[in-house]
Amino acid sequence: MVENSRVAILYSSEFSKQAEQLSKKLNLEVCSKPNNHFDFFLNYSFQGLELISTDPSLGNPLIVDFSSGAADHRRRFGGGKSQDISKAVGINKKDGITVLDATAGLGRDAFVLATLGCRVTLCERNPIVFALLEDGLNRAKLSTELSEISARMTLFEGDAQNLELMPPEVIFLDPMFPERKKSAQVKKEMQVFHRLVGEDMDNQDILRWAIGLALARVVVKRPKIAPFIDERKPTMEFKGKSGRFDVYVIKALSSQ
């Protein structure tokens, strides 16, 4: 069920089977061409499944593609284990860490962690975002260059709190932060997410759940100006130019 936006699926003769299958799975209407009755359209193209907004100000279609663009650049030149996300998760302390990305979104942070050798379980509860992520991950698994990385990524649909999962060493959270009033300062991609998904209203619950499940630590990705979730001060912080990682240490990774 899509709660915050009106979404339909575009039909094309080249991808009719895929469109019909997705329509049945998501219980969404199929349209032959875009129209203003909907906010977004899911469309299969030769590049993959893409999300098209009927608002031209939101720019190009959104697609999950780990083989090009920002994801590929970060894989090649992102700084490896010197990145803040690597330090926050503890990759410098142990190889092959098991990570549960409980708010996977478009999977970019999970892909970085898998690139650095982590075994990552991804959970995404929004069905539209899940469909985009699943399509991108499936294409990555067919790529000779990315198959080894994507093999370390396992995707589940649903709320991580309601799934029966093995406790991981690290739980990674990136909950949706309320949209700033000056929307022009927010990246277009994030504007799309806010319209499609809305704000996460259970941040306190999911942090408490994560701290109760993780074996070693919980890492929360936050905007630099954002307050601590549940007013809970982290064990340590890693701050960047615009964001930070709050780390709640439960037990040393070296002892796992």
Side-chain angles (χ1 to χ4, degrees):
M1 182 176 70
V2 181
E3 298 179 352
N4 298 298
S5 295
R6 299 168 298 172
V7 184
I9 298 173
L10 286 180
Y11 175 89
S12 65
S13 57
E14 296 93 339
F15 301 99
S16 58
K17 183 177 180 180
Q18 293 94 323
E20 291 171 358
Q21 289 176 341
L22 192 60
S23 173
K24 291 180 180 178
K25 179 181 178 181
L26 299 180
N27 193 27
L28 295 178
E29 184 177 338
V30 177
C31 299
S32 59
K33 59 182 180 180
N35 59 71
N36 292 327
H37 294 298
F38 297 94
D39 300 309
F40 296 99
F41 288 92
L42 285 168
N43 177 59
Y44 281 101
S45 70
F46 288 104
Q47 286 70 46
L49 182 64
E50 54 190 15
L51 182 69
I52 302 172
S53 172
T54 54
D55 183 350
S57 69
L58 294 181
N60 297 326
L62 184 62
I63 187 170
V64 175
D65 184 5
F66 298 117
S67 65
S68 64
D72 183 61
H73 186 273
R74 191 174 177 186
R75 176 175 66 89
R76 296 174 183 272
F77 312 109
K81 293 185 178 181
S82 66
Q83 299 176 77
D84 284 343
I85 189 174
S86 174
K87 297 174 183 176
V89 169
I91 294 174
N92 58 322
K93 298 181 180 297
K94 184 181 178 182
D95 294 328
I97 295 173
T98 57
V99 179
L100 168 59
D101 186 346
T103 54
L106 298 179
R108 290 175 181 164
D109 289 316
F111 182 72
V112 170
L113 295 174
T115 299
L116 297 174
C118 294
R119 290 172 287 154
V120 188
T121 299
L122 302 84
C123 295
E124 176 51 50
R125 62 185 176 183
N126 181 278
I128 303 300
V129 178
F130 175 84
L132 293 166
L133 179 54
E134 182 180 43
D135 180 74
L137 188 55
N138 286 340
R139 282 184 280 108
K141 290 180 178 179
L142 297 175
S143 165
T144 303
E145 193 172 13
L146 302 181
S147 59
E148 182 178 348
I149 297 171
S150 57
R152 292 193 286 269
M153 301 170 70
T154 304
L155 177 62
F156 289 94
E157 182 175 11
D159 190 326
Q161 299 175 83
N162 299 327
L163 299 175
E164 294 184 4
L165 302 169
M166 291 292 293
E169 292 171 292
V170 177
I171 294 181
F172 184 87
L173 303 174
D174 182 12
M176 184 67 70
F177 189 66
E179 189 171 12
R180 295 199 297 259
K181 293 181 180 179
K182 295 182 179 180
S183 59
Q185 296 180 3
V186 182
K187 290 183 179 180
K188 291 182 178 180
E189 182 178 286
M190 289 309 299
Q191 293 182 50
V192 170
F193 255 69
H194 277 291
R195 295 190 191 186
L196 181 67
V197 179
E199 178 187 350
D200 285 330
M201 302 302 292
D202 59 348
N203 292 345
Q204 295 181 356
D205 291 339
I206 197 170
L207 177 59
R208 295 168 187 171
W209 162 82
I211 290 174
L213 180 66
L215 298 176
R217 60 177 65 181
V218 174
V219 178
V220 184
K221 184 178 181 180
R222 300 289 278 166
K224 195 172 185 178
I225 62 170
F228 299 133
I229 294 179
D230 201 21
E231 299 182 353
R232 189 187 292 247
K233 184 176 176 59
T235 310
M236 53 187 170
E237 302 172 64
F238 294 89
K239 295 182 178 180
K241 292 182 179 179
S242 60
R244 71 172 196 268
F245 295 97
D246 298 340
V247 182
Y248 300 86
V249 176
I250 300 162
K251 187 177 181 180
L253 277 164
S254 57
S255 65
Q256 295 295 312

